[in-house]
Amino acid sequence: KAGVTQTPRYLIKTRGQQVTLSCSPISGHRSVSWYQQTPGQGLQFLFEYFSETQRNKGNFPGRFSGRQFSNSRSEMNVSTLELGDSALYLCASSMTSGSDNEQFFGPGTRLTVL
Amino acid sequence: LAKTTQPISMDSYEGQEVNITCSHNNIATNDYITWYQQFPSQGPRFIIQGYKTKVTNEVASLFIPADRKSSTLSLPRVSLSDTAVYYCLVGGANQAGTALIFGKGTTLSVSS
């Protein structure tokens, strides 16, 4: 069974630009969560989508948004990029929603903002 | 989600057993305890999950005392490849949706 895939793996953008990251969950998984990881703040929860609906949202500004499609694939968008948005963005999928469910993480997208 | 406290770092040698203890004094009745492992530039990987007493799988054991205010991840006979960051999380089925709250984790360094 294929794991969680994320594209692109690496991305370089400049301040003010916007970016869209993609995540394909494991087949059959309906929940997709996004996390930001930086050396200073560690792993931080961004949001979760389940059956095309946002179920949970972390403490991030409105520049961070996402969506989920009917095939459970998810995209995350960051508008008006700032230097501090440079991070590893991780996507995780699980069969259903709930923090007690095993989360399967993808390899991440490394975003660098110049 | 209940806050967790675990050691920032631990050192070990190959072949030794490593025990990492996590404190979660405010754990709720329906909360599960889950441990993840993360290697540099990779996403975390699920290791083990438990609710009470002891859970064992092919890679680790999880010991949870009766009061559930702490838990211990036990890695038997570690190898160099076990060098990673280990995160302890608590969260429950009663929580609406998924929102894993990661702490700083424990950086385990295994030497030969």
Side-chain angles (χ1 to χ4, degrees):
Chain A
K1 190 186 245 188
V4 177
T5 58
Q6 293 187 244
T7 56
R9 291 294 311 279
Y10 302 91
L11 204 51
I12 299 175
K13 292 285 187 179
T14 56
R15 279 182 298 173
Q17 287 187 310
Q18 76 162 20
V19 66
T20 299
L21 311 181
S22 181
C23 172
S24 293
I26 291 172
S27 178
H29 286 193
R30 296 167 59 198
S31 168
V32 174
S33 300
W34 289 89
Y35 295 82
Q36 181 197 65
Q37 186 169 30
T38 60
Q41 299 299 318
L43 268 161
Q44 294 186 283
F45 171 76
L46 279 157
F47 31 65
E48 180 209 11
Y49 286 87
F50 179 73
S51 294
E52 301 179 66
T53 302
Q54 187 180 87
R55 289 211 70 185
N56 260 329
K57 190 177 190 305
N59 189 27
F60 278 81
R63 300 185 297 107
F64 292 82
S65 63
R67 59 177 176 168
Q68 186 180 35
F69 302 94
S70 58
N71 62 357
S72 293
R73 190 178 69 85
S74 177
E75 287 182 348
M76 185 196 124
N77 186 77
V78 187
S79 62
T80 320
L81 285 167
E82 301 177 359
L83 295 179
D85 296 334
S86 293
L88 180 66
Y89 290 88
L90 293 158
C91 161
S93 75
S94 61
M95 291 194 67
T96 186
S97 186
S99 292
D100 58 319
N101 290 287
E102 179 178 350
Q103 302 293 311
F104 294 82
F105 284 81
T109 293
R110 174 75 63 184
L111 172 65
T112 301
V113 181
L114 303 176
Chain B
L1 289 176
K3 183 178 178 178
T4 61
T5 303
Q6 50 184 124
I8 294 296
S9 64
M10 293 183 69
D11 295 314
S12 182
Y13 291 97
E14 285 188 292
Q16 289 188 331
E17 178 184 75
V18 171
N19 296 308
I20 306 174
T21 297
C22 177
S23 298
H24 28 77
N25 292 319
N26 298 322
I27 190 169
T29 302
N30 292 331
D31 282 346
Y32 283 80
I33 300 156
T34 310
W35 287 79
Y36 283 82
Q37 174 194 56
Q38 186 179 28
F39 298 110
S41 298
Q42 294 186 25
R45 182 176 73 100
F46 174 94
I47 302 174
I48 196 166
Q49 183 183 75
Y51 183 77
K52 62 180 179 181
T53 62
K54 177 185 174 182
V55 180
T56 298
N57 62 22
E58 62 276 9
V59 298
S61 294
L62 179 59
F63 299 91
I64 306 169
D67 65 5
R68 302 198 332 120
K69 294 184 182 300
S70 67
S71 60
T72 299
L73 173 72
S74 180
L75 304 172
R77 300 183 60 80
V78 294
S79 65
L80 295 176
S81 62
D82 291 317
T83 295
V85 179
Y86 292 82
Y87 296 97
C88 164
L89 298 90
V90 293
N94 63 334
Q95 179 185 1
T98 302
L100 298 185
I101 307 299
F102 288 84
K104 297 297 185 184
T106 297
T107 299
L108 172 65
S109 298
V110 181
S111 304
S112 57

